[in-house]
Amino acid sequence: MFFTGTDSYIATAALQQAVNAAVVLEKPLLIKGEPGTGKTLLAEELAKSLNTDLLQWHIKSTTKAQQGLYEYDAVSRLRDSQLGDPRVHDIANYIKQGKLWQAFTADKRPVLLIDEIDKADIEFPNDLLLELDKMEFHVYETGQQVKAQVRPIVIITSNNEKELPDAFLRRCFFHYIDFPSQQEMAQIIAVHYPDITQKLVKEALEVFFKLRDVPGLKKKPSTSELLDWLKLLMADDISPDTLRDKTHQGGLMPLFGALLKNEQDVSLVEKLAFMARR
């Protein structure tokens, strides 16, 4: 199996190499990069290209590692016992399988996405060390040992909000998705909007990359936000000439709300445009 990207996902040679290396080594692939650079989409497109199932475990600040294995619903069992439900005699009725359990017991080798692992508590990655390394775990309530017959392809994403433990990093193959160059971005746009005019793409990319280079910008616009902006430009039939007009809305680009997401950045761009006009 060799991943080369898909018709709807442009993967650089380095990213292709990282995915294929992780598959060969049977190690989780840890993907980092700016938000909006396609980390989560990679897992979706990889599963699509392999014609296999995608299991998604989206991590929150309150997520515990145990939830990825299984959860025992003791409250429901107590309630059923009070109601005289015969299901209470089999504790397995109250064991809810987590995403790792589902991945380990899948009939066909699935892709397991552990999305934004850095959102969880600092101990969260350490709590999954053994399970991701050995691909097995013990269910204490039933005495069952769950072991993967075929190791799933594990994609783990991080936005670098916090450092991950060294012991966890040693068990992963790492890749950082660099922000696309103008040429790569043009290829991405062509995949999503094949009918867009090249003149609009050229002017939009110039505005977009100049905006990303503005010093002091609190949040740089991402790939997904550029695609949203282009969609709006086409829907409103905004001409490329309008994008070149520095006096438009006080120096702000049309439909700037797709690219600028806080008032500080809007004010900064307006201030810089005003100084440039002087």
Side-chain angles (χ1 to χ4, degrees):
M1 189 287 294
F2 287 99
F3 177 69
T4 57
T6 65
D7 292 340
S8 57
Y9 188 88
I10 303 296
T12 63
L15 180 56
Q16 293 175 33
Q17 187 179 55
V19 171
N20 295 321
V23 172
V24 170
L25 293 172
E26 295 189 325
K27 287 177 175 280
L29 174 61
L30 175 61
I31 295 287
K32 291 186 178 182
E34 287 186 33
T37 49
K39 300 186 296 296
T40 302
L41 190 59
L42 169 65
E44 298 174 5
E45 295 298 323
L46 177 59
K48 188 188 301 181
S49 71
L50 298 178
N51 192 27
T52 192
D53 293 330
L54 172 65
L55 299 171
Q56 302 187 58
W57 187 16
H58 298 289
I59 307 304
K60 302 177 182 178
S61 60
T62 55
T63 303
K64 301 300 180 185
Q66 180 64 33
Q67 294 172 299
L69 307 179
Y70 69 92
E71 293 182 271
Y72 168 49
D73 192 351
V75 174
S76 292
R77 193 181 187 202
L78 175 61
R79 183 195 63 223
D80 288 348
S81 68
Q82 294 170 338
L83 297 173
D85 193 321
R87 295 174 70 251
V88 299
H89 300 299
D90 185 358
I91 196 171
N93 291 323
Y94 302 93
I95 301 293
K96 180 183 178 183
Q97 296 182 3
K99 295 298 182 181
L100 267 72
W101 188 330
Q102 295 172 33
F104 290 178
T105 56
D107 295 330
K108 186 178 180 181
R109 189 182 194 184
V111 174
L112 171 63
L113 170 65
I114 303 177
D115 198 27
E116 298 189 329
I117 194 171
D118 52 326
K119 279 188 176 180
D121 183 84
I122 189 62
E123 290 303 320
F124 179 89
N126 283 332
D127 291 341
L128 288 176
L129 287 180
L130 181 63
E131 289 76 13
L132 289 176
D133 193 24
K134 301 297 184 183
M135 290 290 171
E136 63 179 297
F137 63 90
H138 186 72
V139 183
Y140 296 98
E141 289 79 2
T142 63
Q144 180 181 2
Q145 191 72 12
V146 178
K147 185 172 183 177
Q149 300 305 309
V150 180
R151 293 177 73 95
I153 300 170
V154 182
I155 306 292
I156 303 172
T157 71
S158 169
N159 287 327
N160 254 348
E161 290 184 10
K162 61 170 70 80
E163 290 294 323
L164 298 173
D166 289 345
F168 178 80
L169 295 175
R170 282 200 302 272
R171 288 164 169 82
C172 298
F173 190 92
F174 171 75
H175 181 73
Y176 185 90
I177 297 182
D178 291 316
F179 197 82
S181 65
Q182 285 209 31
Q183 183 178 0
E184 291 168 339
M185 193 67 84
Q187 291 178 312
I188 293 171
I189 293 169
V191 166
H192 289 270
Y193 307 124
D195 298 326
I196 193 171
T197 64
Q198 288 307 301
K199 190 175 181 182
L200 179 59
V201 171
K202 181 177 180 296
E203 294 297 337
L205 285 178
E206 186 175 336
V207 171
F208 176 76
F209 278 96
K210 280 184 178 178
L211 181 60
R212 282 184 56 85
D213 288 340
V214 170
L217 205 64
K218 189 173 182 180
K219 184 198 174 302
K220 294 182 178 181
S222 67
T223 304
S224 59
E225 288 162 339
L226 170 62
L227 294 174
D228 288 343
W229 185 49
L230 285 169
K231 184 176 182 179
L232 292 173
L233 293 177
M234 289 187 292
D236 283 13
D237 198 23
I238 302 293
S239 73
D241 295 333
T242 304
L243 299 185
R244 286 199 300 269
D245 184 3
K246 305 300 182 184
T247 63
H248 181 81
Q249 286 187 277
L252 290 169
M253 64 291 297
L255 302 163
F256 62 87
L259 300 177
L260 298 171
K261 298 303 174 75
N262 59 71
E263 62 277 14
Q264 296 97 317
D265 287 348
V266 172
S267 177
L268 175 61
V269 172
E270 286 180 320
K271 188 180 297 183
L272 291 173
F274 174 74
M275 292 172 63
R277 288 196 302 272
R278 292 184 65 187

